Amino acid sequence: MRKDIEISEVTGIEMAVVLEHNDTHNTEDWYVYLINNKNVDLDMAIIVSQGFSEKKTTTVFRKKIDKLEANSFVKVEMIHPDVFALNNRFQVSFFEGTQIFEKTFLFKENTIKEGSLRMISSLNKRGVLVK
């Protein structure tokens, strides 16, 4: 029954978009990170991302992460600057123990840019962070 479904608030999980050096191509590229600030591991994390506006929508991208250890982070995907003019949504579902959680992170249009970069202590990199 609906009244038996418990929807818990998700805390301790963040998404960041970071500009960093790509040694392979000797370029500066943008990457998306999922950050686990919890003291517990996350299992079977599924990330569904998509850029959108009133006139344009990108394809849906899906990524599975088997385990994200406590107080750690993982690089999810490279993101192209052409989509920064769009809203970029990342829906994250994961198990913490036997309970499933879901949280949506939204980088609003034109908020990912070099002028908005701030130090993200858990990554020790500069980027744009959404909690």
Side-chain angles (χ1 to χ4, degrees):
M1 305 217 43
R2 276 190 185 189
K3 64 182 177 104
D4 297 325
I5 297 174
E6 181 182 328
I7 300 174
S8 300
E9 180 182 358
V10 175
T11 59
I13 305 297
E14 302 169 331
M15 297 285 303
V17 176
V18 173
L19 180 62
E20 63 185 46
H21 186 73
N22 181 324
D23 291 329
T24 305
H25 298 107
N26 198 28
T27 57
E28 298 297 313
D29 295 322
W30 294 89
Y31 295 94
V32 178
Y33 283 85
L34 176 62
I35 304 166
N36 178 11
N37 291 320
K38 293 175 167 283
N39 292 322
V40 296
D41 297 345
L42 308 181
D43 294 311
M44 288 292 295
I46 304 291
I47 301 149
V48 179
S49 61
Q50 185 172 37
F52 65 94
S53 69
E54 288 183 16
K55 297 179 182 180
K56 193 180 276 190
T57 302
T58 67
T59 19
V60 175
F61 180 79
R62 293 172 184 86
K63 172 88 175 190
K64 179 183 116 188
I65 298 161
D66 291 322
K67 182 177 214 152
L68 182 55
E69 294 182 3
N71 299 301
S72 69
F73 57 85
V74 64
K75 188 183 287 188
V76 176
E77 65 182 64
M78 180 186 276
I79 186 168
H80 197 278
D82 288 351
V83 300
F84 295 168
L86 305 174
N87 294 300
N88 287 277
R89 176 179 49 223
F90 296 85
Q91 296 170 291
V92 181
S93 302
F94 60 91
F95 281 94
E96 186 178 316
T98 59
Q99 186 172 4
I100 192 166
F101 291 86
E102 181 177 278
K103 183 163 184 169
T104 300
F105 298 92
L106 181 66
F107 291 89
K108 293 185 179 178
E109 60 187 40
N110 299 312
T111 59
I112 304 170
K113 54 189 172 190
E114 288 192 50
S116 299
L117 300 180
R118 302 289 178 260
M119 182 54 77
I120 301 170
S121 59
S122 55
L123 297 175
N124 198 27
K125 298 174 187 272
R126 293 176 45 86
V128 178
L129 184 72
V130 175
K131 296 181 179 189

